[in-house]
């Protein structure tokens, strides 16, 4: 009887899972038809970007309250946390991207998307200029009016103007960077086959130099060591003794955001897996004579962030903006000196680290703020009797009026970041985790296989959609069964 009951419960769980999966797939492929766009009675909310910050706003904001327009030069969201895995082929590139139109089509009301770059913001005329270049050299330029504007354009990779890095190095920021790294690795390996090569040149072809001991550099170094040990050594046995990975860090220590215990753990793990860490070693120049990138040494540059040109120009044009690292914003993420313009994530300069965790919490906060602003706007005369019907108030005035009126409860509370912890993969099926446990008011430090299992579960659950989760899970299974692909595509 017990066996029968267990069988029934088991079958019930399988049937429920299949049903849930089926409904999710049906919903994925059949979004509801949308209301016509635009509605002149509503304000226009323009969002620049399709990354962590922007998609988090889009998920939260009520699209029935605004005419929402999204502008981004790439039409997909990139799950950056698994980008180092795609550079070595442990995970396929398409598994970690989600088309932005998927998200937009599942909103209750129509949301317009332009695959274009915002090239200018006119704060007085309340317009943005967007540009799109076609492959035959044509350029589309368009102005879009906004009532509220959100800048979530992220940042570029910092190079500190080091000569040669743009020409000889590979960045680790966008999907095309990861693809470039992969192709470059495979081409170097094939070049190293030529038997007339002197041993020194051959070793250089398979010497991988990673610059920057932040989490991006460390995760890539760990992935690279896995690729070498699990796949490349057996596919290229004649090079087995020549492979090497060196990580260069200018500061005295790598991974400054992790606890000292986990930093030591990572260093000892890297020593065991033959990753040579050189701290207090700053890269100054990359030339064809330099040992680091001589001719074809595949070098990966993971040296931090710098503002994009759009943000740099804004900072230079505004007296209120005094920090060159990013836009200064207030507690409601309103940009200093730009009424009705908000900014979040890596394009801002705040007390928080430039992470996906911060950008997505800020995005959720802004989404809710717009929902409140949207509903207040409709009832404007009721917010404060002193406001004449039809009188335009900017977001700052609306927020402070509403807070004044409801002083005891406060309609709008300032943004508060809640740090959940830091996680990083360090290779050899091991990870490190500094986790905050709010109810214990304590931090847990974990490393090794258990942390690796947690890392995988956390990233799997954070991935954008069921399609992404299914693909990444299948990629991990594929890699452990068949190894990584070694074609030089
Ligand atoms: P992004 O996510 O970079 O999005 C910017 C968007 O703006 C993009 O869609 C871009 O196409 C668009 N855009 C650019 N220029 C324009 C323009 N002119 N007009 C309109 N749109 C524009 N953080 C973590 O917390 N955990 C991690 O595990 C983690 N792993 C990472 C791994 C790597 C390899 C990297 C590079 C970063 C990682 N980060 C991680 C950091 C995290 O990715 C960033 O902090 C996060 O992406 C910032 O979000 P954002 O929305 O500000 O910018
Ligand atoms: P980073 O700014 O954290 O680290 C860059 C490192 O490069 C610094 O340690 C810096 O000292 C070093 N550097 C700069 N110039 C150098 C030079 N010339 N020579 C040698 N070393 C040099 O940048 P990273 O790793 O790209 O991360 C960016 C942001 O994304 C960070 O906020 C990080 O926390 C976040 N992130 C988080 C991850 C996670 O939580 N797992 C993974 C990847 C990124």
């Amino acid at each position: 009887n017990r066996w029968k009951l267990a069988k029934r419960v088991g079958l019930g769980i399988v049937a429920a899972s299949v049903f849930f999966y089926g409904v999710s797939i049906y919903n994925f492929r059949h979004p509801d038809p949308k209301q016509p766009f635009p509605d002149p009675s509503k304000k226009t909310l323009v969002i620049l970007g399709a990354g962590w910050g922007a998609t988090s706003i889009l998920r939260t904001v009520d699209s029935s309250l605004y005419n929402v327009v999204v502008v981004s030069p790439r039409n997909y969201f990139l799950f950056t946390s698994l980008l180092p895995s795609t550079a070595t082929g442990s995970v396929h590139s398409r598994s970690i991207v989600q088309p932005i139109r998927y998200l937009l089509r599942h909103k209750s009301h129509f949301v317009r998307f332009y695959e274009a770059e915002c090239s200018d913001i006119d704060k007085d005329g309340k317009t943005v200029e967007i540009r799109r270049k076609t492959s035959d050299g044509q350029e589309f330029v368009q102005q879009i009016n906004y009532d509220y504007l959100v800048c979530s354009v992220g940042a570029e990779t910092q190079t500190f103007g080091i000569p040669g890095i743009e020409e000889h190095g590979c960045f680790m920021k966008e999907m095309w960077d990861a693809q470039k790294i992969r192709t470059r690795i495979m081409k170097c390996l094939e070049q190293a086959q030529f038997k007339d090569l002197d041993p020194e040149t051959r070793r250089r072809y398979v010497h991988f130099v990673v610059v920057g001991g932040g989490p991006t550099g460390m995760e890539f170094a760990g992935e690279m060591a896995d690729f070498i040990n699990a796949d490349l050594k057996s596919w290229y046995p004649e090079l087995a003794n020549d492979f090497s990975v060196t990580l260069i860090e200018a500061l005295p220590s790598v991974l400054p955001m992790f606890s000292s215990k986990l930093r030591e753990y990572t260093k000892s793990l890297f020593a065991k897996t033959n990753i040579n860490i050189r701290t207090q070693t700053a890269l100054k120049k990359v030339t064809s004579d330099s040992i680091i990138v001589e001719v074809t040494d595949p070098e990966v540059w993971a040296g931090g962030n710098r503002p994009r040109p759009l943000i740099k120009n804004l900072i230079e044009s505004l007296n209120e903006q005094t920090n060159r690292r990013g836009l200064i914003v207030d507690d409601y993420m309103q940009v200093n000196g730009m009424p009705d313009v908000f900014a979040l994530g890596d394009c801002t300069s705040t007390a928080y680290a430039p992470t996906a965790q911060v950008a997505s919490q800020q995005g959720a906060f802004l989404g809710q703020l717009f929902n409140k602003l949207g509903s207040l706007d409709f009832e404007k005369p009721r917010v404060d009797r002193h406001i004449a019907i039809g009188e335009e108030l900017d977001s700052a005035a609306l927020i402070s009026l509403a807070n004044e009126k409801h002083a005891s409860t406060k309609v709008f509370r300032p943004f508060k970041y809640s740090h959940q912890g830091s996680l990083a993969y360090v290779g050899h099926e091991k990870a490190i985790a500094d986790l905050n446990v709010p109810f214990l008011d304590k931090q847990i430090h974990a490393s090794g296989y258990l942390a690796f299992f947690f890392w995988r579960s956390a990233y799997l659950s954070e991935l954008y959609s069921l399609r992404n989760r299914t693909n990444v899970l299948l990629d991990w299974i594929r890699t452990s069964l068949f190894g990584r692909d070694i074609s030089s595509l």
Side-chain angles (χ1 to χ4, degrees), residues 34-39 42-45 47 57-70 103-112 367 370-371 374 378:
K34 298 291 172 286
Q35 304 293 320
F37 176 91
D39 179 344
K42 291 177 190 168
K43 288 195 167 181
T44 301
L45 168 64
I47 299 174
I57 301 175
L58 283 164
R59 279 203 241 206
T60 321
V61 78
D62 179 352
S63 56
S64 70
L65 295 174
Y66 297 97
N67 296 313
V68 185
V69 182
V70 181
L103 168 64
L104 305 185
R105 284 198 64 198
H106 284 80
K107 295 300 289 180
S108 68
H109 285 62
F110 184 80
V111 177
R112 168 86 62 208
F370 286 125
N371 290 346
F378 293 139

Side-chain angles (χ1 to χ4, degrees), residues 50-53 72-74 80-81 117-118 308 346 354-357 459:
W52 283 95
S72 170
R74 57 166 213 233
T80 45
S81 310
E117 195 170 319
C118 172
R308 293 193 190 278
D346 286 8
T355 63
Q357 210 181 139
Y459 281 8

Side-chain angles (χ1 to χ4, degrees), residues 257 355 357-358 361 417-422 434-436 443:
M257 65 292 293
T355 63
Q357 210 181 139
V358 170
Q361 285 186 31
Y417 172 62
S418 149
H419 186 60
Q420 313 290 305
S422 304
D434 272 331
L435 302 172
N436 283 349
Q443 210 179 45

